[in-house]
Amino acid sequence: MAEEPRWKPDEDEEEELDETFYKAVKDAVIFVIEVSSSMLTAHPADSKKVDNISPTSAALKCAYSLMQQRIISNPGDMMGVLLYGTERTKFQGEEQSHGNLAYPHCYLLIDLDIPAAEDVNVLKAIAHDEEASKELLKPSEEPVAMANVLFCANQIFTTKAPNFSSRRLFIITDNDDPHKHDKAMKTSAAVRAKDLYDLGVTIELFPISRPDHDFDRGKFYEDIIYDASPSDPEAPAPISGVALPSSTKDGISLLTSLLSSINSRAIAKRALFANLPLEIGPGFSISVRGYIIFKRQEPKRSCYVSLEGEKAQIATGVTTQLADDTARSVEKVEIKKAYKFGGEQIFFTPEEVDDLRHFGDPGIRIIGFKPMSMLPVWANLRPSTFIYPSEDDYVGSTRVFAALQKKLLDDQIVGIAWYVARKNAAPQIAAIIPGAEKLDDLGAQVIPPGLWIAPLPFADDIRQNPETTLIRAPETLIDLMREVIQQLQLPKAVYDPSRYPNPALQWHYRILQALALEEDIPEKPDDKTVPKYRQIDKRAGPYAVDWGIELEAQHSAWEKENGRAGSSSISAKRSAAGQADDLPVRGTKKAKTTDNAVMDDASMRKLYEKDGIKKLTVAELKPWLISKGIEWMGRKADLVERVEAYLERY
């Protein structure tokens, strides 16, 4: 179960960002799927291995696949499914009669909400059970006004997800001109689409070409679908690009791959800071926003629940501080901040602590430029922060930012900056690295052009390399290993993280999903990181064998020249060490000290909280310091101080 959060004084923390400046970092998606005779027709597949399913059924299955993952991995996101062109009409939970149709022939199958197990089961029944879907998926004889469909989606977003930063509408259709002979209906639909974009909703079209007709986006949807604005501060990098018209089977494959991409990027981008001044020179500043583009994902922490009521409720933990001598409850105002110096506790008032932590107002100040070649690879301490211009505080920031990014990129130079992310944050020296725009194979933008802030190490962060004696391999071994590596190159010599989902994370979610939906527990995880041993052996096996044979020959030659004397001396030392078994207790005690187990972090932290670190012996302190990569030489008082400093920091 999750650990209860440890209490910390307010003055210990950096000032949190004012959340009122942000929309909720959540995602809301509505699938708008057309139900027509052509969309319900299953076209023959090119391969016998591919099922002959209709475009509507395939779209519903894709929506089901996305929903069953969102219910576990992103519990705060919303999703809905709207069918249009159906004979029946339903909106906001009530099926409407023919006399009172607000949105005729629009059937809200799943209302926009946080997916529940019941919603997943309903969508599963429609997507996989033909008998259950036959009554619902009946196309209407009357045409459907796209203006009504878009206005219906507008109403859903406005009532259900008014403050979501990411709101997307996925339109799946094979009709490229729904209002062929009605110009007024086209104009009305364009107005409704503009209303959605003004609301912050992104419309994405997934066109499907029929065997006898290629989808033409220019007939109707060019006036409906707008390119996502690159200056949108809440979503600097679009999740998907424009779907190209393709055949029925290929179009569904494209839709499936898009949904797979959405699954891998399901975590919404979170703004690290907003409207931070970027000072290029004295009196010359622009405004930027910072985003965490890359963040390690882990299984969501479990929580305590109470089962006493009719429905399980999350239990909130409360921490109370007790005096060590009297065990009485200590109020927050009674506690002061203290730092240990020379074995004594030095107390500080809250104002003094604030002064200690204040290094100036938040901002980025460029202090110089260096060639990009001078930036070493090992200087990358933490994930970089992506920054993008904002016009909120300084008009013209976008133009200046673009000029700075282009100049740095063209000249292959980086900026060196003084960087304070937020109030009370520790200052950092950072490199401002230009980033070029990155596109996928279809020409869709994956990462927009911008700048990256990479924190650089201070002198205190750099440690001395261990003293090692390296033996350089002969050129023949190097040449043979070069052939092995050349045979094991990745496709296009590029690592694509989207091809390798975290197997432990996916397995965790898959088990939770099966338990929540009362499905069968899968037998084993789908691990795409497992090497393809047969292909590796086929491509590089003979080269690896040749390298092994050459290694044996080179090792034998080296042993004849250098290894025999060393081996005999080592054997003599081992023999002498074996005779030491007859020594008295002193030798045994030394062996016990050397093999002492490393104390776990939880036990060490408990001792730290009770001021019991100084009771440990040097033999207990050294292994723990070594495991953390901390200097372990010195007197016991020095070791105790290093342990306490580490625990206080982390």
Side-chain angles (χ1 to χ4, degrees):
M1 302 298 284
E3 295 183 0
E4 293 184 5
R6 301 185 184 277
W7 178 87
K8 291 184 179 180
D10 286 344
E11 57 266 23
D12 260 359
E13 300 297 326
E14 299 175 5
E15 181 178 289
E16 294 296 329
L17 293 175
D18 187 357
E19 294 297 332
T20 59
F21 288 96
Y22 298 97
K23 302 175 185 177
V25 186
K26 297 177 182 177
D27 188 26
V29 176
I30 298 180
F31 279 82
V32 178
I33 304 172
E34 184 183 11
V35 177
S36 63
S37 299
S38 58
M39 286 286 288
L40 293 173
T41 302
H43 299 284
D46 296 338
S47 173
K48 295 181 179 179
K49 296 181 181 179
V50 180
D51 295 333
N52 294 335
I53 59 175
S54 66
T56 298
S57 297
L60 287 170
K61 288 182 178 180
C62 290
Y64 164 71
S65 176
L66 177 61
M67 180 177 283
Q68 67 177 347
Q69 294 186 23
R70 287 286 179 98
I71 192 175
I72 297 297
S73 61
N74 299 282
D77 291 352
M78 289 186 177
M79 182 174 168
V81 178
L82 175 65
L83 307 177
Y84 73 96
T86 57
E87 190 177 84
R88 296 161 60 180
T89 300
K90 179 183 176 183
F91 182 72
Q92 298 291 342
E94 295 184 0
E95 193 158 347
Q96 300 173 346
S97 61
H98 290 281
N100 183 25
L101 297 179
Y103 308 104
H105 308 300
C106 293
Y107 193 93
L108 188 57
L109 179 62
I110 303 293
D111 201 358
L112 184 64
D113 205 342
I114 296 174
E118 182 181 354
D119 297 329
V120 178
N121 288 329
V122 168
L123 191 55
K124 180 181 180 181
I126 299 296
H128 294 85
D129 190 348
E130 294 184 0
E131 294 299 326
S133 62
K134 188 176 296 184
E135 182 66 23
L136 174 61
L137 301 180
K138 281 186 178 180
S140 65
E141 297 180 359
E142 301 175 359
V144 182
M146 288 303 298
N148 277 345
V149 176
L150 297 176
F151 186 55
C152 178
N154 191 321
Q155 289 294 104
I156 297 172
F157 279 123
T158 303
T159 56
K160 293 290 186 176
N163 296 320
F164 277 42
S165 62
S166 174
R167 290 179 287 184
R168 292 174 288 165
L169 192 68
F170 292 169
I171 300 178
I172 302 143
T173 179
D174 65 350
N175 187 359
D176 57 6
D177 196 3
H179 304 303
K180 184 180 300 184
H181 305 294
D182 196 333
K183 187 176 180 180
M185 295 296 289
K186 286 186 178 181
T187 304
S188 179
V191 171
R192 294 301 185 189
K194 184 65 167 58
D195 292 342
L196 280 170
Y197 275 95
D198 291 341
L199 191 64
V201 177
T202 301
I203 302 177
E204 297 190 19
L205 174 68
F206 301 98
I208 300 174
S209 293
R210 298 190 293 268
D212 58 343
H213 178 73
D214 291 334
F215 195 98
D216 186 357
R217 185 187 296 266
K219 290 183 178 180
F220 174 78
Y221 282 99
E222 278 191 353
D223 297 330
I224 303 298
I225 308 300
Y226 298 85
D227 291 334
S229 173
S231 61
D232 181 6
E234 298 298 336
I239 289 182
S240 57
V242 175
L244 301 176
S246 53
S247 66
T248 301
K249 179 172 70 66
D250 292 338
I252 296 303
S253 300
L254 179 61
L255 178 61
T256 305
S257 64
L258 173 73
L259 296 179
S260 175
S261 175
I262 293 174
N263 290 336
S264 63
R265 309 178 199 180
I267 302 299
K269 298 179 181 66
R270 181 185 184 277
L272 179 64
F273 51 77
N275 301 330
L276 198 70
L278 170 59
E279 184 180 333
I280 302 175
F284 181 27
S285 299
I286 62 175
S287 181
V288 295
R289 291 174 180 259
Y291 296 89
I292 302 174
I293 303 296
F294 303 103
K295 184 179 183 298
R296 178 179 174 82
Q297 296 302 317
E298 297 177 351
K300 297 191 178 298
R301 301 181 66 182
S302 56
C303 58
Y304 293 104
V305 295
S306 173
L307 303 177
E308 294 183 356
E310 296 180 358
K311 188 177 180 181
Q313 295 181 339
I314 296 178
T316 303
V318 178
T319 302
T320 302
Q321 300 295 316
L322 300 177
D324 194 21
D325 52 353
T326 62
R328 73 175 182 87
S329 178
V330 179
E331 297 297 330
K332 190 175 179 180
V333 294
E334 301 180 66
I335 300 176
K336 291 185 178 180
K337 178 69 178 180
Y339 289 95
K340 184 173 288 187
F341 183 80
E344 297 182 4
Q345 299 285 358
I346 311 300
F347 298 97
F348 292 87
T349 64
E351 293 76 14
E352 291 172 333
V353 172
D354 289 342
D355 291 340
L356 284 174
R357 299 175 64 90
H358 184 70
F359 284 89
D361 294 331
I364 307 169
R365 186 188 311 124
I366 296 180
I367 57 180
F369 298 93
K370 292 287 184 180
M372 194 174 295
S373 58
M374 294 186 65
L375 186 65
V377 176
W378 52 261
N380 193 358
L381 281 179
R382 303 180 189 88
S384 302
T385 302
F386 182 79
I387 60 174
Y388 216 64
S390 170
E391 298 283 333
D392 292 347
D393 290 347
Y394 298 95
V395 177
S397 294
T398 302
R399 179 173 296 181
V400 175
F401 183 92
L404 176 64
Q405 183 264 349
K406 187 176 187 305
K407 180 62 176 176
L408 294 179
L409 195 62
D410 291 345
D411 293 354
Q412 287 295 293
I413 58 178
V414 298
I416 307 298
W418 169 270
Y419 171 44
V420 179
R422 58 170 69 94
K423 186 178 178 181
N424 290 339
Q428 298 176 347
I429 299 296
I432 300 181
I433 306 173
E437 182 182 33
K438 292 187 178 181
L439 307 176
D440 61 13
D441 294 337
L442 299 177
Q445 189 184 71
V446 178
I447 296 179
L451 297 175
W452 297 83
I453 298 181
L456 299 177
F458 290 104
D460 315 74
D461 303 324
I462 302 175
R463 300 168 183 167
Q464 294 296 327
N465 292 330
E467 294 184 4
T468 55
T469 302
L470 300 179
I471 301 175
R472 179 175 173 80
E475 291 297 329
T476 53
L477 273 179
I478 296 175
D479 293 339
L480 290 173
M481 181 54 69
R482 183 179 293 110
E483 294 180 352
V484 174
I485 293 175
Q486 288 173 350
Q487 298 300 318
L488 299 178
Q489 289 286 336
L490 290 171
K492 299 181 181 179
V494 174
Y495 169 71
D496 182 7
S498 63
R499 297 168 60 94
Y500 306 100
N502 186 336
L505 193 68
Q506 297 298 325
W507 180 241
H508 173 81
Y509 286 152
R510 185 66 185 91
I511 295 297
L512 290 183
Q513 172 189 310
L515 294 174
L517 303 180
E518 298 181 354
E519 298 175 346
D520 294 335
I521 303 295
E523 295 182 358
K524 61 179 182 179
D526 182 17
D527 188 356
K528 295 184 179 180
T529 64
V530 175
K532 298 178 180 179
Y533 297 108
R534 291 187 178 180
Q535 294 185 17
I536 291 174
D537 180 63
K538 183 178 180 180
R539 297 179 61 178
Y543 300 97
V545 171
D546 293 343
W547 182 85
I549 295 173
E550 181 64 22
L551 174 64
E552 288 290 338
Q554 294 288 344
H555 181 261
S556 299
W558 181 87
E559 249 190 354
K560 291 179 180 179
E561 296 179 6
N562 308 297
R564 293 302 180 186
S567 299
S568 59
S569 61
I570 293 173
S571 301
K573 289 182 180 179
R574 288 178 178 171
S575 301
Q579 297 174 3
D581 294 340
D582 299 329
L583 294 176
V585 182
R586 185 175 180 182
T588 306
K589 184 175 181 181
K590 184 175 181 181
K592 182 178 179 182
T593 303
T594 305
D595 298 335
N596 194 19
V598 180
M599 182 178 295
D600 60 273
D601 293 350
S603 301
M604 187 68 77
R605 187 167 290 278
K606 287 181 180 179
L607 288 172
Y608 168 71
E609 292 171 353
K610 296 179 181 180
D611 199 19
I613 302 293
K614 57 188 176 184
K615 297 179 182 179
L616 296 175
T617 64
V618 173
E620 292 170 320
L621 292 169
K622 280 186 176 181
W624 193 88
L625 288 169
I626 293 173
S627 68
K628 301 300 178 185
I630 304 173
E631 175 60 40
W632 53 274
M633 298 294 290
R635 298 177 296 109
K636 178 181 176 180
D638 298 332
L639 304 185
V640 170
E641 187 174 348
R642 291 168 194 159
V643 172
E644 291 178 343
Y646 178 89
L647 294 174
E648 183 178 357
R649 183 177 179 182
Y650 298 102

